[in-house]
Amino acid sequence: MCFLWSSEQSFITFVSLISLLASAGIFQAMCLLICAEMYQVSRLQHICELFIITQLQSTPSRELASMSLDIVDLLKKAKFHHSDCLSTWLLHFIATNYLIFSQKPAFQDLSVEEHSFVEKHRWPSNRYLKQLAEYRKNIHSR
């Protein structure tokens, strides 16, 4: 892929923004993503999306539970700034970590459509929880 740079300075600025990600956290990456969307630098926006996804994937479950970062707010920002890859992934992330995120107050801020998606794809599923309860009941009754 070839980029057409308007000047050497714009290229240097782009490279410095990319290098910022190496030491950035999720909040800084989201700020950079918003700027990339505002200035229509789609490649930088996509790199920020992937960085945020990678950071969240590497976060242990116990840290997710105590994390101050609001994943639902991050989802809303991703949708608002046309970050389709990130917003789709965040919906799946919320669904697969259902027990953690459903306990947070921000969970109620999901739209009806988002809530329905999360409930449909949640883990553990209701069916699994019912089967687990039946199994435990059978084990304890023996």
Side-chain angles (χ1 to χ4, degrees):
M1 175 181 277
C2 179
F3 291 100
L4 298 176
W5 301 102
S6 58
S7 70
E8 180 182 342
Q9 186 59 41
S10 63
F11 175 74
I12 291 169
T13 302
F14 181 76
V15 170
S16 66
L17 290 173
I18 295 295
S19 64
L20 261 176
L21 278 178
S23 62
I26 293 171
F27 177 75
Q28 291 86 357
M30 192 63 192
C31 291
L32 187 54
L33 181 146
I34 291 168
C35 290
E37 190 261 342
M38 183 170 45
Y39 292 107
Q40 299 177 357
V41 184
S42 59
R43 180 70 181 131
L44 178 58
Q45 184 175 358
H46 187 67
I47 290 169
C48 291
E49 286 179 285
L50 295 177
F51 177 84
I52 292 167
I53 290 168
T54 303
Q55 291 296 304
L56 288 171
Q57 279 178 328
S58 64
T59 305
S61 295
R62 64 184 169 277
E63 284 183 35
L64 284 176
S66 62
M67 209 159 92
S68 63
L69 180 68
D70 183 352
I71 299 296
V72 173
D73 185 52
L74 198 61
L75 170 64
K76 293 198 177 303
K77 285 179 181 165
K79 281 188 169 192
F80 183 80
H81 292 286
H82 311 289
S83 296
D84 298 332
C85 177
L86 180 59
S87 58
T88 301
W89 186 86
L90 284 169
L91 265 178
H92 283 278
F93 186 65
I94 292 168
T96 56
N97 292 285
Y98 183 86
L99 294 178
I100 294 170
F101 293 118
S102 65
Q103 303 303 313
K104 297 193 177 245
F107 187 78
Q108 304 307 318
D109 296 336
L110 289 172
S111 71
V112 172
E113 179 183 303
E114 293 163 344
H115 195 14
S116 134
F117 177 89
V118 168
E119 288 295 331
K120 180 179 178 183
H121 296 93
R122 67 176 270 185
W123 182 256
S125 66
N126 283 327
R127 180 174 168 231
Y128 172 82
L129 292 174
K130 286 177 187 173
Q131 288 175 343
L132 180 61
E134 287 175 26
Y135 171 77
R136 287 182 176 161
K137 181 181 170 185
N138 289 337
I139 292 295
H140 290 295
S141 65
R142 289 182 183 178

